[in-house]
Amino acid sequence: MSTPSSLESLIEALRCLPGIGPKSAQRMAYHLLQRDRKGAQRLADALQHALAAIRHCERCNTLTEAEICERCTSPKRDATLLCVVETPVDMNMMEQTHAYSGLYYVIMGRVSPLDGIGPRELQLERLLARACDGVVQEVILATNYTNEGEATAHYLSEMLKSRDIHVTRIARGVPVGGELEYVDAGTLAQAVRERRSLAE
Amino acid sequence: MNLRHKVDGQPAFVLHAYPYSETSLIVEAFSRDFGRVALLARGARRPRSALRGLLLAFQPLELGWAGKGEVQTLMKAEWQGGQPLLGGKALFCGYYLNELLMHLLPREDAHERLFATYAETLRRFADGVRESDLRRFERALLQELGYGLTLEHDAEGAPLDAATHYAYEIERGPVRLQRSGNSALSVSGKTLIDLARDDFSDPRSLAEAKQLMRALITHYTGGKGLETRKIFMELQEL
């Protein structure tokens, strides 16, 4: 018996998920159709609803249901600070620190020249417009400390330099509670190169 | 090179890495004795992987791998140090070198001298990028790949004259012109002589060498525009 075409297209569709190959996709499709048709319906509804309701916040670019997300409209946040992160997960990590009360801009990616991802693909001019709203005084670049994160930070600092906005970069070095004995050599080497003066 | 083999402690640089399956990476590395190799780094994207943060481009590493076929399995990676992390403009120039190597270097073809030039160029980048470093690297790359420029004599075999203008014809060499042309491949004899000596003290030679190298690289990369050049231009527009 050949596989019905609608089943085949379901298997093909499931393969768009990260880490799902043909085998897993087939298992998932058979499970949904054989054992959990209600679950399948819920999944279909939830997907449809999320697709219709969720969009990018006009101000911070993160995923939200409203035109402008809750955080961006909160009066408790310091609107003079704007922290730039690569992904919504990074924003959640920053929130967990309880060390930052400003607003965010989520790039949803990073500059990666060898993958053909540049400022144009990331629409960084939207970030420029956001940072130049007249309220923001400091932009904190919290992109990753990978080469791509650094490339992104460099581009942004060049872009914002001429706009009379204070641009800062999160610090890097030995982790909190880190013992030199157990810190990796690359981190330690850079921490020595970027050492700071204590005379203040 | 399809025999199963094992390599250990091989000096190498990561050129590019991209995700593979859920937790792994495919690493394109430039190694000293085996040239460009593709390595599968299993589990390198797991949160606590020892390889995480180590397989960084522009950092001297020692890699060990084993297996057969086109993609072999990375077994070991060790950080060597001595190379400050690149930042700013140097970082984008580093990406340019990597893109050139990714495009032009065939897999598993050893280029020891080019490897040394690459490492040396990255070291120089740490103190700021000079255009002459880029030209030197481009020339070394073309030379190593067998696309070496004819800089000792013109296409007819006559010695080059500093005051004469030439049209550089790819695969043939400099052809003497009656007067200065304005194509990318039109260069003065002085530029060619300076290029042969790696002497970039004359700004005119440097500017002409840039045009010449750009045209040659465009030719050898099959006319494809380079991504890094495009992004570099967006950076200059700021």
Side-chain angles (χ1 to χ4, degrees):
Chain A
M1 190 191 85
S2 68
T3 325
S5 67
S6 48
L7 179 57
E8 233 169 61
S9 64
L10 174 60
I11 293 171
E12 199 45 47
L14 284 167
R15 287 187 59 188
C16 74
L17 291 166
I20 301 299
K23 264 263 154 53
S24 312
Q26 193 180 41
R27 217 169 48 233
M28 289 162 105
Y30 275 114
H31 175 85
L32 289 171
L33 293 170
Q34 272 184 310
R35 300 183 201 284
D36 197 1
R37 291 185 84 105
K38 264 193 204 151
Q41 187 60 53
R42 269 206 307 280
L43 181 62
D45 292 346
L47 263 178
Q48 199 127 45
H49 178 72
L51 272 179
I54 292 183
R55 51 182 148 176
H56 291 276
C57 168
E58 274 193 4
R59 304 195 72 200
C60 73
N61 200 35
T62 196
L63 298 174
T64 175
E65 282 191 28
E67 203 166 302
I68 295 175
C69 76
E70 233 174 89
R71 195 174 284 117
C72 285
T73 48
S74 165
K76 287 186 193 145
R77 312 289 304 200
D78 181 354
T80 63
L81 290 175
L82 188 71
C83 178
V84 181
V85 291
E86 291 181 14
T87 65
V89 179
D90 294 342
M91 179 169 72
N92 293 344
M93 283 307 289
M94 281 294 289
E95 280 298 280
Q96 280 175 32
T97 63
H98 298 289
Y100 180 70
S101 61
L103 296 172
Y104 292 93
Y105 185 88
V106 185
I107 300 173
M108 298 282 177
R110 62 205 63 103
V111 171
S112 181
L114 295 192
D115 296 309
I117 300 172
R120 204 157 291 160
E121 285 71 22
L122 296 169
Q123 300 185 295
L124 293 183
E125 69 284 352
R126 287 190 57 205
L127 165 56
L128 182 64
R130 172 69 188 87
C132 295
D133 68 349
V135 184
V136 173
Q137 284 169 15
E138 179 181 348
V139 173
I140 303 169
L141 301 176
T143 52
N144 287 334
Y145 267 118
T146 56
N147 286 315
E148 287 73 30
E150 277 285 88
T152 313
H154 175 71
Y155 185 86
L156 293 178
S157 70
E158 292 288 309
M159 183 173 86
L160 295 165
K161 199 163 66 177
S162 52
R163 311 279 166 152
D164 202 28
I165 294 170
H166 188 43
V167 182
T168 55
R169 178 94 170 99
I170 53 165
R172 73 176 144 195
V174 180
V176 173
E179 297 160 82
L180 297 198
E181 191 180 344
Y182 300 107
V183 170
D184 72 277
T187 302
L188 194 52
Q190 202 60 25
V192 173
R193 288 194 189 101
E194 291 177 19
R195 66 187 181 276
R196 63 196 164 87
S197 167
L198 291 179
E200 243 186 280
Chain B
M1 273 261 202
N2 259 342
L3 290 172
R4 190 175 182 86
H5 60 262
K6 201 173 167 212
V7 176
D8 200 21
Q10 177 63 216
F13 287 89
V14 171
L15 295 177
H16 190 40
Y18 44 94
Y20 179 77
S21 81
E22 205 157 348
T23 57
S24 301
L25 274 180
I26 302 254
V27 176
E28 290 274 0
F30 180 26
S31 67
R32 191 189 61 195
D33 302 336
F34 300 88
R36 185 160 77 89
V37 287
L39 304 171
L40 171 64
R42 281 190 207 282
R45 280 157 61 225
R46 287 187 198 281
R48 309 221 176 277
S49 165
L51 293 173
R52 229 194 145 91
L54 193 67
L55 298 173
L56 216 53
F58 317 123
Q59 287 293 303
L61 303 172
E62 264 187 25
L63 302 180
W65 65 86
K68 54 180 181 176
E70 222 184 328
V71 181
Q72 304 182 40
T73 306
L74 181 74
M75 311 296 272
K76 216 167 98 185
E78 271 182 67
W79 186 81
Q80 294 303 297
Q83 167 73 46
L85 295 166
L86 297 183
K89 195 181 165 202
L91 185 54
F92 286 87
C93 290
Y95 277 124
Y96 171 65
L97 302 191
N98 284 9
E99 189 172 19
L100 287 181
L101 291 173
M102 291 279 293
H103 272 306
L104 293 171
L105 212 56
R107 285 234 178 105
E108 309 224 11
D109 199 8
H111 290 285
E112 237 181 279
R113 258 199 317 207
L114 184 63
F115 183 84
T117 309
Y118 177 74
E120 168 66 18
T121 308
L122 289 182
R123 269 198 298 278
R124 285 162 168 271
F125 279 179
D127 307 319
V129 175
R130 276 176 299 262
E131 283 212 17
S132 52
D133 293 333
L134 292 170
R135 299 297 87 80
R136 233 173 252 129
F137 179 80
E138 289 164 341
R139 190 177 156 224
L141 175 66
L142 294 181
Q143 182 88 40
E144 273 287 315
L145 294 172
Y147 305 139
L149 278 80
T150 309
L151 298 171
E152 293 76 35
H153 49 78
D154 70 10
E156 310 292 324
L160 290 175
D161 169 31
T164 305
H165 286 273
Y166 295 88
Y168 195 93
E169 284 187 19
I170 292 166
E171 319 269 284
R172 233 187 117 205
V175 177
R176 193 179 275 264
L177 287 177
Q178 292 312 313
R179 55 195 163 80
S180 87
N182 52 5
S183 90
L185 294 172
S186 151
V187 284
S188 73
K190 175 151 192 320
T191 298
L192 295 170
I193 292 166
D194 285 348
L195 198 54
R197 287 199 214 118
D198 268 343
D199 174 3
F200 298 102
S201 50
D202 179 350
R204 220 189 107 193
S205 293
L206 191 58
E208 281 194 355
K210 182 177 181 171
Q211 293 306 319
L212 176 62
M213 285 300 185
R214 180 176 294 183
L216 289 171
I217 282 169
T218 306
H219 173 79
Y220 288 120
T221 50
K224 274 181 293 186
L226 294 174
E227 294 289 346
T228 43
R229 192 171 285 151
K230 194 186 86 194
I231 289 171
F232 213 81
M233 272 159 53
E234 287 179 42
L235 196 61
Q236 307 272 290
E237 281 165 19
L238 287 175

